[in-house]
Coordinates of all heavy atoms in Angstrom, one line a residue:
M28 N -7.7 -20.6 3.0 CA -7.2 -19.4 2.5 C -6.1 -19.9 1.6 O -5.3 -20.7 1.8 CB -6.6 -18.5 3.7 CG -6.0 -17.4 3.2 SD -5.6 -16.1 4.5 CE -7.3 -15.7 5.1
E29 N -6.1 -19.1 0.4 CA -5.1 -19.4 -0.6 C -3.9 -18.9 -0.2 O -3.7 -17.8 0.3 CB -5.7 -18.8 -2.0 CG -4.9 -19.0 -3.2 CD -5.5 -18.4 -4.4 OE1 -6.7 -17.9 -4.2 OE2 -5.0 -18.4 -5.5
K30 N -2.7 -19.5 -0.6 CA -1.3 -19.1 -0.4 C -0.7 -18.7 -1.6 O -0.9 -19.4 -2.6 CB -0.5 -20.1 0.3 CG 0.9 -19.8 0.7 CD 1.5 -21.0 1.4 CE 3.0 -20.5 1.8 NZ 3.7 -21.8 2.3
V31 N -0.2 -17.4 -1.6 CA 0.3 -17.0 -2.9 C 1.8 -16.8 -2.7 O 2.3 -16.3 -1.8 CB -0.2 -15.5 -3.2 CG1 0.5 -14.8 -4.4 CG2 -1.7 -15.6 -3.5
N32 N 2.6 -17.5 -3.5 CA 4.0 -17.5 -3.3 C 4.8 -16.7 -4.4 O 6.1 -16.6 -4.3 CB 4.6 -18.9 -3.6 CG 3.9 -19.8 -2.4 OD1 4.2 -19.4 -1.2 ND2 3.2 -20.8 -2.7
S33 N 4.2 -16.1 -5.3 CA 4.9 -15.2 -6.3 C 4.1 -14.1 -6.9 O 2.8 -14.0 -6.7 CB 5.4 -16.1 -7.5 OG 4.4 -16.4 -8.3
S34 N 4.7 -13.0 -7.4 CA 3.9 -12.0 -8.0 C 3.1 -12.6 -9.1 O 1.9 -12.0 -9.5 CB 4.8 -10.8 -8.4 OG 5.7 -11.2 -9.4
E35 N 3.5 -13.6 -9.9 CA 2.8 -14.1 -10.9 C 1.6 -14.8 -10.4 O 0.5 -14.6 -11.0 CB 3.6 -15.2 -11.8 CG 4.7 -14.6 -12.5 CD 6.0 -14.3 -11.7 OE1 6.2 -14.8 -10.5 OE2 6.9 -13.6 -12.3
E36 N 1.7 -15.5 -9.3 CA 0.3 -16.2 -8.8 C -0.5 -15.1 -8.3 O -1.8 -15.1 -8.3 CB 0.9 -17.0 -7.6 CG 1.4 -18.3 -7.9 CD 1.8 -19.2 -6.8 OE1 1.3 -18.9 -5.7 OE2 2.6 -20.2 -6.9
L37 N -0.1 -14.0 -7.7 CA -0.9 -12.9 -7.2 C -1.7 -12.2 -8.5 O -2.9 -12.1 -8.3 CB 0.0 -11.8 -6.5 CG -0.7 -10.5 -6.1 CD1 -1.9 -10.9 -5.1 CD2 0.3 -9.5 -5.4
M38 N -0.9 -12.1 -9.6 CA -1.7 -11.6 -10.8 C -2.7 -12.6 -11.3 O -3.8 -12.1 -11.6 CB -0.6 -11.2 -11.8 CG 0.0 -10.0 -11.7 SD -1.0 -8.5 -11.5 CE -2.0 -8.5 -12.9
E39 N -2.5 -13.8 -11.3 CA -3.5 -14.8 -11.7 C -4.6 -14.9 -10.7 O -5.7 -15.0 -11.2 CB -2.7 -16.3 -11.7 CG -1.7 -16.5 -12.8 CD -1.0 -17.8 -12.6 OE1 -1.4 -18.7 -11.7 OE2 0.0 -17.9 -13.2
T40 N -4.4 -14.6 -9.4 CA -5.5 -14.6 -8.5 C -6.4 -13.4 -8.8 O -7.7 -13.5 -8.9 CB -4.9 -14.4 -7.0 OG1 -4.2 -15.7 -6.8 CG2 -6.0 -14.3 -6.0
I41 N -5.7 -12.1 -9.1 CA -6.7 -11.0 -9.3 C -7.3 -11.1 -10.6 O -8.5 -10.9 -10.8 CB -5.7 -9.9 -9.2 CG1 -5.2 -9.6 -7.8 CG2 -6.4 -8.5 -9.8 CD1 -4.1 -8.5 -7.7
I42 N -6.7 -11.6 -11.6 CA -7.2 -11.8 -12.9 C -8.3 -12.7 -13.0 O -9.4 -12.5 -13.9 CB -6.1 -12.2 -14.0 CG1 -5.2 -10.9 -14.3 CG2 -6.7 -12.6 -15.5 CD1 -3.9 -11.3 -15.1
S43 N -8.3 -13.7 -12.2 CA -9.3 -14.7 -12.2 C -10.7 -14.2 -11.6 O -11.6 -14.9 -11.6 CB -8.9 -16.1 -11.5 OG -8.8 -15.8 -10.1
M44 N -10.7 -13.2 -10.9 CA -11.8 -12.6 -10.3 C -12.8 -12.1 -11.3 O -12.5 -11.8 -12.4 CB -11.5 -11.5 -9.4 CG -10.5 -11.9 -8.3 SD -10.0 -10.6 -7.2 CE -11.5 -10.2 -6.3
N45 N -14.1 -12.2 -11.0 CA -15.3 -11.8 -11.8 C -16.5 -11.6 -10.9 O -16.2 -11.6 -9.8 CB -15.6 -12.8 -12.9 CG -16.0 -14.1 -12.2 OD1 -16.7 -14.1 -11.2 ND2 -15.6 -15.2 -12.9
S46 N -17.5 -11.1 -11.5 CA -18.7 -10.6 -10.7 C -19.2 -11.8 -9.8 O -19.8 -11.5 -8.8 CB -19.8 -10.1 -11.7 OG -20.3 -11.0 -12.5
E47 N -19.0 -12.9 -10.2 CA -19.5 -14.1 -9.4 C -18.5 -14.4 -8.3 O -18.8 -15.0 -7.3 CB -19.9 -15.4 -10.3 CG -21.0 -15.1 -11.2 CD -21.3 -16.4 -12.1 OE1 -20.8 -17.4 -11.7 OE2 -21.8 -16.2 -13.1
H48 N -17.3 -14.2 -8.6 CA -16.2 -14.6 -7.5 C -15.4 -13.2 -7.2 O -14.3 -13.1 -7.8 CB -15.2 -15.7 -8.2 CG -15.9 -16.9 -8.4 ND1 -16.5 -17.4 -9.7 CD2 -16.2 -17.9 -7.6 CE1 -16.9 -18.4 -9.6 NE2 -16.9 -18.8 -8.4
S49 N -16.1 -12.3 -6.6 CA -15.6 -11.0 -6.4 C -14.8 -10.8 -5.2 O -14.2 -9.6 -5.1 CB -16.7 -10.0 -6.5 OG -17.6 -10.2 -5.5
V50 N -14.7 -11.7 -4.3 CA -13.8 -11.6 -3.1 C -13.0 -12.7 -3.0 O -13.4 -13.8 -3.1 CB -14.7 -11.6 -1.8 CG1 -14.0 -11.5 -0.6 CG2 -15.8 -10.5 -1.8
R51 N -11.6 -12.4 -2.7 CA -10.6 -13.4 -2.8 C -9.7 -13.1 -1.5 O -9.4 -11.8 -1.2 CB -9.6 -13.4 -3.8 CG -10.4 -13.7 -5.3 CD -10.7 -15.2 -5.3 NE -9.7 -16.1 -5.4 CZ -9.2 -16.7 -6.4 NH1 -9.5 -16.4 -7.6 NH2 -8.3 -17.6 -6.2
Q52 N -9.5 -14.1 -0.6 CA -8.7 -14.0 0.5 C -7.5 -14.8 0.2 O -7.5 -16.0 -0.2 CB -9.3 -14.5 1.8 CG -10.5 -13.5 2.2 CD -11.0 -14.0 3.5 OE1 -11.2 -15.1 3.7 NE2 -11.4 -13.0 4.2
F53 N -6.2 -14.2 0.5 CA -5.0 -14.9 0.3 C -4.0 -14.5 1.3 O -4.1 -13.4 1.9 CB -4.5 -14.9 -1.0 CG -4.3 -13.4 -1.6 CD1 -3.1 -12.8 -1.4 CD2 -5.4 -12.7 -2.2 CE1 -3.1 -11.4 -1.9 CE2 -5.2 -11.4 -2.7 CZ -4.2 -10.9 -2.5
L54 N -3.0 -15.3 1.4 CA -1.9 -15.2 2.3 C -0.6 -15.0 1.5 O -0.3 -15.9 0.7 CB -1.7 -16.3 3.3 CG -0.5 -16.4 4.1 CD1 -0.5 -15.3 5.2 CD2 -0.3 -17.8 4.8
I55 N 0.2 -14.0 1.8 CA 1.6 -13.9 1.3 C 2.5 -14.1 2.4 O 2.6 -13.2 3.4 CB 1.8 -12.5 0.6 CG1 0.9 -12.2 -0.5 CG2 3.3 -12.3 0.2 CD1 0.9 -11.0 -1.2
P56 N 3.2 -15.3 2.4 CA 4.0 -15.6 3.6 C 5.0 -14.5 3.9 O 5.6 -13.9 2.9 CB 4.7 -17.0 3.0 CG 3.8 -17.6 2.0 CD 3.2 -16.4 1.4
G57 N 5.2 -14.2 5.0 CA 6.1 -13.0 5.4 C 5.5 -11.8 5.4 O 6.2 -10.8 5.8
I58 N 4.4 -11.6 4.7 CA 3.8 -10.3 4.8 C 2.5 -10.2 5.4 O 2.2 -9.4 6.3 CB 3.6 -9.7 3.1 CG1 4.9 -9.7 2.5 CG2 2.8 -8.5 3.2 CD1 4.7 -9.2 1.1
G59 N 1.5 -11.1 5.1 CA 0.3 -11.2 5.8 C -0.9 -11.7 5.1 O -0.7 -12.1 3.9
K60 N -2.0 -11.5 5.4 CA -3.2 -11.9 4.9 C -3.9 -10.7 4.2 O -3.9 -9.7 4.7 CB -4.3 -12.4 6.0 CG -3.7 -13.7 6.6 CD -4.7 -14.2 7.7 CE -4.2 -15.4 8.4 NZ -5.1 -15.7 9.6
F61 N -4.5 -10.9 3.0 CA -5.2 -9.9 2.2 C -6.5 -10.4 1.9 O -6.8 -11.6 1.6 CB -4.4 -9.7 0.9 CG -3.0 -9.0 1.2 CD1 -1.9 -9.9 1.6 CD2 -2.8 -7.7 1.1 CE1 -0.7 -9.3 1.7 CE2 -1.5 -7.2 1.5 CZ -0.5 -8.0 1.7
T62 N -7.4 -9.4 1.6 CA -8.7 -9.6 1.1 C -8.9 -8.6 0.0 O -8.7 -7.4 0.2 CB -9.9 -9.5 2.1 OG1 -9.7 -10.3 3.3 CG2 -11.3 -9.7 1.5
V63 N -9.2 -9.1 -1.2 CA -9.4 -8.3 -2.4 C -10.8 -8.4 -2.7 O -11.4 -9.5 -2.8 CB -8.4 -8.6 -3.5 CG1 -8.8 -7.8 -4.8 CG2 -7.0 -8.5 -3.2
V64 N -11.5 -7.2 -3.0 CA -12.9 -7.1 -3.4 C -12.9 -6.5 -4.8 O -12.5 -5.4 -4.9 CB -13.6 -6.4 -2.3 CG1 -15.2 -6.3 -2.9 CG2 -13.6 -7.0 -1.1
L65 N -13.5 -7.2 -5.8 CA -13.6 -6.6 -7.1 C -14.9 -5.8 -7.1 O -15.9 -6.4 -6.8 CB -13.7 -7.7 -8.1 CG -14.0 -7.3 -9.5 CD1 -12.8 -6.5 -10.2 CD2 -14.2 -8.6 -10.4
Q66 N -14.8 -4.6 -7.5 CA -16.0 -3.7 -7.7 C -16.1 -3.3 -9.1 O -15.0 -2.9 -9.7 CB -15.9 -2.4 -6.8 CG -15.8 -2.9 -5.3 CD -15.8 -1.7 -4.4 OE1 -15.4 -0.7 -4.9 NE2 -16.2 -1.8 -3.2
E67 N -17.3 -3.3 -9.7 CA -17.5 -2.9 -11.1 C -17.1 -1.4 -11.1 O -17.5 -0.7 -10.3 CB -18.8 -3.2 -11.4 CG -19.2 -4.6 -11.7 CD -20.5 -5.1 -12.3 OE1 -21.0 -4.2 -13.1 OE2 -21.1 -6.0 -11.9
E68 N -16.5 -1.1 -12.3 CA -16.2 0.4 -12.6 C -17.5 1.1 -12.7 O -18.3 0.6 -13.6 CB -15.2 0.5 -13.6 CG -13.8 0.7 -13.3 CD -13.1 1.0 -14.5 OE1 -12.7 0.2 -15.2 OE2 -12.8 2.1 -14.7
D69 N -17.7 2.1 -12.3 CA -19.0 3.0 -12.6 C -18.4 4.4 -12.4 O -18.6 5.1 -11.3 CB -20.0 2.7 -11.6 CG -21.4 3.4 -11.8 OD1 -21.4 4.1 -12.8 OD2 -22.4 3.0 -11.1
H70 N -17.9 5.0 -13.4 CA -17.4 6.4 -13.4 C -18.4 7.4 -13.1 O -18.2 8.3 -12.4 CB -16.8 6.7 -14.8 CG -15.6 5.9 -15.0 ND1 -14.4 6.1 -14.4 CD2 -15.4 4.9 -15.9 CE1 -13.6 5.2 -14.8 NE2 -14.0 4.4 -15.8
L71 N -19.6 7.1 -13.5 CA -20.7 8.1 -13.3 C -21.1 8.1 -11.9 O -21.3 9.2 -11.2 CB -22.0 7.8 -14.1 CG -21.8 7.9 -15.7 CD1 -23.1 7.5 -16.2 CD2 -21.4 9.4 -15.9
S72 N -21.0 7.0 -11.1 CA -21.4 7.0 -9.8 C -20.3 7.6 -8.9 O -20.5 8.3 -8.1 CB -21.5 5.5 -9.2 OG -21.6 5.4 -7.9
I73 N -19.1 7.4 -9.3 CA -18.0 8.0 -8.5 C -18.1 9.4 -8.7 O -18.0 10.3 -7.7 CB -16.6 7.5 -9.0 CG1 -16.5 6.1 -8.6 CG2 -15.5 8.3 -8.3 CD1 -15.4 5.2 -9.1
S74 N -18.2 10.0 -9.8 CA -18.3 11.5 -10.1 C -19.4 12.1 -9.4 O -19.3 13.1 -8.9 CB -18.5 11.6 -11.7 OG -18.8 12.9 -12.0
S75 N -20.7 11.4 -9.5 CA -21.7 11.9 -8.8 C -21.6 12.0 -7.2 O -22.0 13.0 -6.6 CB -23.0 11.1 -9.1 OG -23.0 9.8 -8.7
E76 N -20.9 10.9 -6.7 CA -20.6 10.9 -5.4 C -19.6 12.1 -4.9 O -19.9 12.7 -3.9 CB -20.1 9.5 -4.9 CG -21.0 8.5 -4.9 CD -20.5 7.2 -4.4 OE1 -19.7 7.2 -3.5 OE2 -21.0 6.2 -5.0
V77 N -18.6 12.3 -5.7 CA -17.7 13.3 -5.4 C -18.4 14.7 -5.4 O -18.1 15.5 -4.8 CB -16.5 13.3 -6.4 CG1 -15.6 14.5 -6.4 CG2 -15.6 12.1 -6.0
K78 N -19.2 15.0 -6.4 CA -20.0 16.2 -6.6 C -20.9 16.5 -5.5 O -21.1 17.6 -5.0 CB -20.8 16.2 -7.9 CG -20.0 16.3 -9.1 CD -20.7 16.3 -10.4 CE -19.9 16.4 -11.7 NZ -20.5 16.4 -12.8
A79 N -21.6 15.3 -4.8 CA -22.4 15.4 -3.7 C -21.9 15.5 -2.4 O -22.5 16.0 -1.5 CB -23.4 14.2 -3.8
N80 N -20.6 15.2 -2.4 CA -19.9 15.1 -1.0 C -18.6 16.0 -1.1 O -17.7 15.4 -1.5 CB -19.6 13.8 -0.7 CG -19.1 13.5 0.7 OD1 -18.5 14.5 1.2 ND2 -19.1 12.4 1.3
P81 N -18.7 17.2 -0.5 CA -17.5 17.9 -0.5 C -16.3 17.4 0.1 O -15.1 17.6 -0.3 CB -17.9 19.3 0.2 CG -19.3 19.3 0.2 CD -19.7 17.9 0.1
E82 N -16.4 16.7 1.2 CA -15.4 16.0 2.0 C -14.6 15.0 1.1 O -13.4 14.8 1.1 CB -15.9 15.4 3.2 CG -14.9 14.7 4.2 CD -13.8 15.6 4.6 OE1 -13.9 16.9 4.6 OE2 -12.8 15.1 5.1
L83 N -15.6 14.1 0.4 CA -15.0 13.1 -0.5 C -14.1 13.8 -1.6 O -13.1 13.3 -2.0 CB -16.2 12.3 -1.0 CG -15.7 11.2 -2.1 CD1 -14.7 10.2 -1.4 CD2 -17.0 10.4 -2.5
K84 N -14.7 14.9 -2.1 CA -14.0 15.6 -3.3 C -12.6 16.1 -2.7 O -11.6 16.0 -3.4 CB -14.8 16.8 -3.8 CG -14.0 17.6 -4.8 CD -14.9 18.8 -5.3 CE -14.3 19.7 -6.5 NZ -12.9 19.3 -6.8
R85 N -12.6 16.6 -1.5 CA -11.4 17.1 -0.9 C -10.4 15.9 -0.7 O -9.2 16.0 -1.1 CB -11.6 17.7 0.4 CG -10.3 18.3 1.1 CD -10.5 18.6 2.5 NE -11.0 17.6 3.4 CZ -10.1 16.6 3.8 NH1 -8.8 16.6 3.5 NH2 -10.4 15.5 4.7
M86 N -10.9 14.7 -0.3 CA -10.0 13.6 -0.2 C -9.4 13.1 -1.5 O -8.3 12.8 -1.5 CB -10.8 12.5 0.6 CG -11.1 12.7 2.0 SD -12.3 11.7 2.7 CE -11.5 10.1 2.6
V87 N -10.2 13.1 -2.4 CA -9.8 12.6 -3.8 C -8.7 13.7 -4.4 O -7.7 13.2 -4.8 CB -11.0 12.4 -4.8 CG1 -10.6 12.3 -6.2 CG2 -11.9 11.4 -4.4
D88 N -9.1 14.9 -4.3 CA -8.1 15.9 -4.6 C -6.8 15.8 -4.0 O -5.8 15.9 -4.6 CB -8.7 17.3 -4.5 CG -9.8 17.6 -5.6 OD1 -10.0 16.8 -6.5 OD2 -10.6 18.7 -5.3
E89 N -6.7 15.6 -2.7 CA -5.6 15.5 -1.9 C -4.8 14.2 -2.3 O -3.6 14.2 -2.4 CB -5.9 15.4 -0.4 CG -6.2 16.7 0.2 CD -6.4 16.6 1.7 OE1 -6.3 15.4 2.2 OE2 -6.9 17.6 2.3
S90 N -5.5 13.1 -2.6 CA -4.9 11.8 -3.0 C -4.2 12.1 -4.2 O -3.1 11.6 -4.4 CB -6.0 10.8 -3.0 OG -5.3 9.5 -3.3
R91 N -4.9 12.7 -5.2 CA -4.3 13.0 -6.5 C -3.0 13.8 -6.4 O -2.1 13.6 -7.1 CB -5.2 13.5 -7.5 CG -6.5 12.6 -8.0 CD -7.4 13.3 -8.9 NE -8.4 12.4 -9.4 CZ -9.5 12.8 -9.8 NH1 -9.8 14.0 -9.9 NH2 -10.5 11.9 -10.3
E92 N -3.1 14.8 -5.6 CA -2.0 15.7 -5.5 C -0.7 15.0 -4.9 O 0.4 15.1 -5.2 CB -2.2 16.9 -4.6 CG -1.3 17.9 -4.6 CD -0.7 18.5 -5.9 OE1 -1.5 18.7 -6.9 OE2 0.4 18.8 -6.1
E93 N -1.0 14.2 -3.9 CA 0.0 13.3 -3.2 C 0.7 12.3 -4.2 O 1.9 12.1 -4.2 CB -0.6 12.6 -1.9 CG -0.7 13.7 -0.8 CD -1.2 12.9 0.5 OE1 -1.4 11.7 0.4 OE2 -1.6 13.6 1.4
Y94 N -0.2 11.8 -5.0 CA 0.4 10.8 -6.0 C 1.2 11.5 -7.0 O 2.3 11.0 -7.3 CB -0.8 10.1 -6.7 CG -0.2 9.2 -7.8 CD1 0.1 7.8 -7.3 CD2 -0.3 9.4 -9.1 CE1 0.6 7.0 -8.3 CE2 0.1 8.5 -10.0 CZ 0.6 7.4 -9.6 OH 1.1 6.4 -10.5
K95 N 0.8 12.8 -7.4 CA 1.7 13.6 -8.4 C 3.0 14.0 -7.6 O 4.1 13.9 -8.3 CB 1.0 14.9 -8.7 CG -0.2 14.6 -9.7 CD -0.9 16.1 -10.0 CE -2.1 15.8 -10.7 NZ -2.8 17.1 -11.1
Q96 N 2.9 14.1 -6.4 CA 4.3 14.5 -5.6 C 5.1 13.2 -5.3 O 6.1 13.3 -4.6 CB 3.9 15.1 -4.3 CG 3.3 16.5 -4.6 CD 2.8 17.1 -3.2 OE1 3.0 16.6 -2.1 NE2 2.1 18.3 -3.3
G97 N 4.7 12.1 -5.8 CA 5.4 10.8 -5.4 C 5.2 10.2 -4.2 O 6.0 9.2 -3.7
K98 N 4.1 10.5 -3.6 CA 3.8 10.0 -2.2 C 3.0 8.8 -2.1 O 2.6 8.3 -1.0 CB 3.1 11.2 -1.3 CG 4.1 12.3 -1.0 CD 3.5 13.3 -0.3 CE 4.3 14.5 0.1 NZ 3.6 15.5 0.9
G99 N 2.6 8.3 -3.3 CA 1.7 7.1 -3.4 C 2.3 6.3 -4.5 O 3.3 6.4 -5.2
M100 N 1.7 5.1 -4.7 CA 2.0 4.1 -5.8 C 0.8 3.5 -6.4 O -0.1 3.2 -5.7 CB 3.1 3.1 -5.4 CG 2.6 2.0 -4.4 SD 3.9 0.9 -4.0 CE 5.3 1.7 -3.5
S101 N 0.9 3.2 -7.6 CA -0.3 2.4 -8.3 C -0.1 0.9 -8.0 O 0.9 0.5 -7.4 CB -0.2 2.6 -9.8 OG 1.1 2.0 -10.3
T102 N -1.1 0.2 -8.4 CA -1.1 -1.2 -8.2 C 0.2 -1.9 -8.8 O 0.8 -2.7 -8.4 CB -2.4 -1.8 -8.6 OG1 -3.5 -1.2 -7.9 CG2 -2.4 -3.4 -8.4
T103 N 0.3 -1.4 -10.2 CA 1.4 -1.9 -11.0 C 2.8 -1.8 -10.3 O 3.6 -2.6 -10.2 CB 1.3 -1.2 -12.3 OG1 0.1 -1.6 -13.0 CG2 2.4 -1.7 -13.2
E104 N 2.9 -0.5 -9.7 CA 4.1 -0.1 -9.0 C 4.2 -1.1 -7.8 O 5.3 -1.5 -7.4 CB 4.1 1.3 -8.5 CG 4.2 2.3 -9.8 CD 4.0 3.7 -9.3 OE1 3.3 3.9 -8.4 OE2 4.6 4.5 -10.1
L105 N 3.2 -1.3 -7.0 CA 3.3 -2.1 -5.9 C 3.7 -3.5 -6.4 O 4.6 -4.1 -5.8 CB 1.9 -2.2 -5.2 CG 1.8 -3.3 -4.1 CD1 2.7 -2.9 -2.9 CD2 0.4 -3.4 -3.6
L106 N 3.1 -4.0 -7.4 CA 3.6 -5.4 -7.8 C 4.9 -5.5 -8.3 O 5.7 -6.5 -8.0 CB 2.5 -5.9 -9.0 CG 1.1 -6.2 -8.6 CD1 0.1 -6.4 -9.8 CD2 1.0 -7.3 -7.5
K107 N 5.4 -4.5 -8.9 CA 6.9 -4.4 -9.3 C 7.7 -4.4 -8.2 O 9.0 -4.8 -8.3 CB 7.0 -3.3 -10.3 CG 6.5 -3.4 -11.7 CD 6.6 -2.2 -12.6 CE 6.1 -2.5 -14.0 NZ 6.2 -1.3 -14.8
S108 N 7.3 -3.7 -7.0 CA 8.1 -3.6 -5.9 C 8.3 -4.9 -5.2 O 9.2 -5.1 -4.4 CB 7.6 -2.5 -5.0 OG 6.5 -3.0 -4.2
L109 N 7.5 -5.9 -5.5 CA 7.6 -7.2 -4.7 C 8.6 -8.1 -5.4 O 8.9 -8.0 -6.6 CB 6.2 -7.9 -4.8 CG 5.1 -7.3 -4.1 CD1 3.8 -8.0 -4.2 CD2 5.3 -7.0 -2.5
S110 N 9.3 -8.8 -4.5 CA 10.4 -9.6 -5.0 C 10.2 -11.1 -4.5 O 9.3 -11.3 -3.5 CB 11.8 -9.1 -4.7 OG 12.0 -9.4 -3.3
P111 N 10.8 -12.0 -5.0 CA 10.6 -13.4 -4.4 C 10.8 -13.6 -3.0 O 10.2 -14.4 -2.3 CB 11.6 -14.2 -5.3 CG 11.8 -13.4 -6.6 CD 11.7 -12.0 -6.3
K112 N 11.8 -12.7 -2.4 CA 12.1 -12.8 -1.0 C 10.9 -12.3 -0.2 O 10.8 -12.8 1.1 CB 13.3 -12.0 -0.6 CG 13.1 -10.4 -0.7 CD 14.3 -9.7 -0.3 CE 14.0 -8.2 -0.5 NZ 15.2 -7.4 -0.1
D113 N 10.0 -11.6 -0.8 CA 8.7 -11.2 0.0 C 7.8 -12.3 0.2 O 6.9 -12.2 0.9 CB 8.1 -9.9 -0.8 CG 9.0 -8.7 -0.7 OD1 9.6 -8.5 0.2 OD2 8.9 -8.0 -1.7
F114 N 8.0 -13.4 -0.7 CA 7.0 -14.5 -0.5 C 7.6 -15.6 0.2 O 7.1 -16.9 0.0 CB 6.6 -14.8 -2.0 CG 5.9 -13.9 -2.7 CD1 6.6 -12.9 -3.6 CD2 4.5 -13.8 -2.6 CE1 5.7 -11.8 -4.1 CE2 3.8 -12.7 -3.2 CZ 4.5 -11.8 -4.0
V115 N 8.7 -15.4 0.9 CA 9.3 -16.6 1.7 C 8.7 -16.6 3.0 O 8.3 -15.9 3.7 CB 10.8 -16.4 1.8 CG1 11.4 -17.5 2.6 CG2 11.4 -16.2 0.4

């Protein structure tokens, strides 16, 4: 398991992922173990799944509304919130 000691290393780990190396496991000391899975973007598939599943549509709509209300954060915001002390 890879050890990540900074937000820069975390970004390098994520950026290095591709379709052949789509799963990465790493440890952030003091926080825990993570598994990241890269999935290809498929807007049509997501859209069709939401249209076909009313419960999924409800969940997506709720999630979007909560994000607008400030109850969530983007990946960029998460990375910005990490500091060097989080990697000790």
Side-chain angles (χ1 to χ4, degrees):
M28 179 168 299
E29 184 176 353
K30 185 177 177 183
V31 175
N32 294 303
S33 68
S34 56
E35 290 82 12
E36 286 182 17
L37 178 58
M38 281 306 299
E39 288 173 16
T40 297
I41 293 170
I42 290 170
S43 70
M44 296 174 73
N45 59 41
S46 59
E47 291 180 20
H48 299 94
S49 61
V50 177
R51 299 292 296 262
Q52 292 184 320
F53 53 91
L54 169 72
I55 298 178
I58 295 180
K60 297 176 185 177
F61 294 83
T62 301
V63 174
V64 179
L65 174 67
Q66 297 179 336
E67 292 185 34
E68 261 188 281
D69 188 354
H70 295 290
L71 295 176
S72 174
I73 293 171
S74 177
S75 63
E76 287 182 38
V77 167
K78 287 178 184 175
N80 185 337
E82 180 66 13
L83 180 58
K84 179 176 181 354
R85 182 192 62 76
M86 291 170 58
V87 168
D88 290 344
E89 284 179 7
S90 177
R91 286 180 176 158
E92 186 58 35
E93 288 181 3
Y94 181 77
K95 287 179 189 175
Q96 295 174 6
K98 295 181 180 177
M100 68 172 57
S101 68
T102 303
T103 301
E104 292 167 332
L105 171 65
L106 292 174
K107 286 180 181 178
S108 75
L109 297 173
S110 69
K112 68 178 181 181
D113 293 320
F114 295 94
V115 176

